[in-house]
Amino acid sequence: MANKGFTRGQTQVLFRHLPEAVFEHDDYGLCKVTQVALGDADVNRDALFDAISDALAMWPADFSTKYPDTRDASRRSYYAVGSPREVRFVPYPQVFRCRACSRTGKFTDLLKRGASASGRCTCGGYLNQMRYVQAHNCGRLEEVFVPQQNCPSCGSSKDLAFYDPGRVKQARWYCAKCKADIQALRMTPCKCAYNKSLPPGPRAEKYLRVVPTGDPSLYIPHTVAFVNFPEDDQGKLKSAPDALQLMLARTWGLLKESVSETIRERSSMGKPEDADRMAETIEALRKFDPTNKLVLEYDAKKKAPKGQAEIDRVNDLLKSCKVTTVGAPRRWLVEHTTLLDRTDISTIEDVAAMLRRTGDEAGARDIEEGRDKASALLGISDIRIVNDFPLALCAYGYTRTSREPARTVITPFPVDDRGRIPVYAIAAETEALWFQLDPLKVYSWLFKNGIVGSAPPASREEAWARLYAEIPGLRSSPHEPMYDQLEAVAVRTLLHTMSHLFLRRIEWSGFAPSSVGEYLIPGSLSFILYANRHAETKIGGLTTLFEQRLNTWLWDAVQSGRECVYDPICEDDGGSCAGCTHREHNCVSFNRELSRAAVYGGPTPQYSAFQGAKLAHGYWQDAWKAAPVE
């Protein structure tokens, strides 16, 4: 049959109708997507490929070999980036079964046996597609194997039938004429490179599995989110003189003004020969009136341009931590800085002032109490609402039978007619809650648990510098050696666990947990919870939660986060399972680096970098001293 076309919403296509997915169409029955046309996508390609690189690093090296290296700019031409525009598909599978007599076979074979092209069996019953296929964790998909032998009892070659009780293990082939069993469902061996490269063991799955077409594990698209700012703006920001020091100063709270504005003002203080109108005007004025106020102000700014004090302070802090070389700003630093500078952010102080203007003094005091409690007890220095969080989401491949990188090969989408691998991306602005931890309390938590050996510094800015200098894994990408540094794993586990515990009680916003995504920026001790909506309209649930229920939500998340339906077993085994910290959808790292021990104390998971070691001090341990009395 010829390819058929239909259209769907972009988000729906991204999660359900990408190439090689099997779905049920209202008119055509079961179908397989063959192609999704690409439209224009307004996304930052550098950020997109950086995000894909980090995501692919989650897979073992032998499980992601189908991808040209996205870190190599010269190989990015092997990819075609765009938004999903139109879906093309064909009916699949082509194995049919009679609803009345259960006779089964490939559609072409059934036609040869006398079935009608309109879908009627020789008995007059309707033919329906088989709702089973075979899949392997290398990405291979096949129709169910149809036996070719005659019935061993009566010798019939035209009466092959399929018994389907609804369970794969009990399904079997039999003869519709004499009712004799022919054989059980056959498991087809897969001779893929994945199987050939693995020794016998839990990762080696030699056979294709028979999977119902409606099983979610049959096709699992993999997506990654990233902060989507204009590429040119970020390029200028990263290439400016002293950009790293200015961004660190902004992230560490030393610089209150926008980095972009600071860089722009600093660049305008160039030499007289520069093509700067202000410089030419000042030099002309200097000839006639050297003591003019404008001349003196200009000279003062030139000696100490905007941001210079903060640059010097950052350099002194880094020097005190024996950091002698600095490079270009990393993506996480650019993201954090640009979010501060370019988005519409509301702080707790802004909301409290707004509530007081409307006469809601009780509401203002409540959100301020939430701020004070978060700072004093929860070690959270800042909570903000980002009203226009610039989110982009891209689908870069799929797996079958399992989502877990250790058990499946990540497979790119089939190449287009130019031989390029499609990457499907959509961009939108959404609402988000932005949390940032207190660096002094994080360092103190590391010290109390024996993860760092040096005593905590005296100030926040010194804590920032120590974390930056002593834990390079916090600012590394997953494919870099220092990423697995124990100190970095500890901080990421703390951030990631807190993110999941807050998401566990996100219903206070009106959103289900599956409707809210997370974005981690470990280098700035930040995590972001965003409404996973890719539409022009915003529901405002997270904004309402921030403005009206922040205090209640924070305390509820802290109280309920300590509990798990599988305790005490879960608590003794690391405090991380499907009953507490694991998420079914939208986890950025496949439920890795999670443990309630990070926030409440106790044993850590045996399979983690902690190797089951007990954390004596939980980050939220002091919160229990202020537990409300019922």
Side-chain angles (χ1 to χ4, degrees), residues 354-362:
M354 179 269 291
L355 292 172
R356 285 193 170 95
R357 286 195 301 270
T358 60
D360 188 0
E361 180 64 28

Side-chain angles (χ1 to χ4, degrees), residues 11 17 34 64 123 144 179 203 260 266 272 362 393 402 423-424 439 457 470-471 498 510 527 539 630:
T11 307
H17 299 99
T34 57
S64 59
C123 73
V144 168
K179 309 303 181 185
R203 291 208 307 175
S260 299
R266 288 173 63 83
L393 190 69
S402 175
V423 174
Y424 302 97
E470 297 173 14
I471 314 181
M498 290 175 67
F527 63 91
I539 295 178
E630 294 293 340

Side-chain angles (χ1 to χ4, degrees), residues 173-195:
W173 299 99
Y174 71 99
C175 177
K177 182 177 180 181
C178 69
K179 309 303 181 185
D181 285 348
I182 296 178
Q183 69 176 57
L185 282 177
R186 171 183 166 183
M187 290 175 43
T188 305
C190 189
K191 299 179 180 179
C192 61
Y194 160 78
N195 270 337

Side-chain angles (χ1 to χ4, degrees), residues 330-407:
R330 305 294 291 266
R331 178 165 64 99
W332 67 268
L333 190 56
V334 177
E335 288 178 343
H336 188 102
T337 304
T338 314
L339 282 171
L340 285 174
D341 291 354
R342 298 292 186 93
T343 58
D344 178 16
I345 293 175
S346 297
T347 65
I348 288 177
E349 292 72 22
D350 295 334
V351 173
M354 179 269 291
L355 292 172
R356 285 193 170 95
R357 286 195 301 270
T358 60
D360 188 0
E361 180 64 28
R365 288 200 302 269
D366 186 65
I367 194 171
E368 288 172 340
E369 180 186 338
R371 174 200 60 199
D372 297 341
K373 183 187 298 180
S375 176
L377 300 176
L378 306 183
I380 301 173
S381 61
D382 280 302
I383 308 174
R384 315 173 181 97
I385 188 76
V386 184
N387 300 300
D388 54 351
F389 184 57
L391 176 72
L393 190 69
C394 78
Y396 59 94
Y398 65 93
T399 59
R400 299 197 192 276
T401 75
S402 175
R403 183 180 297 275
E404 174 58 42
R407 293 181 58 85

Side-chain angles (χ1 to χ4, degrees), residues 66-84:
K66 299 178 183 180
Y67 287 83
D69 189 356
T70 51
R71 291 170 291 169
D72 184 349
S74 66
R75 298 178 68 82
R76 292 178 178 178
S77 59
Y78 289 99
Y79 297 89
V81 179
S83 60

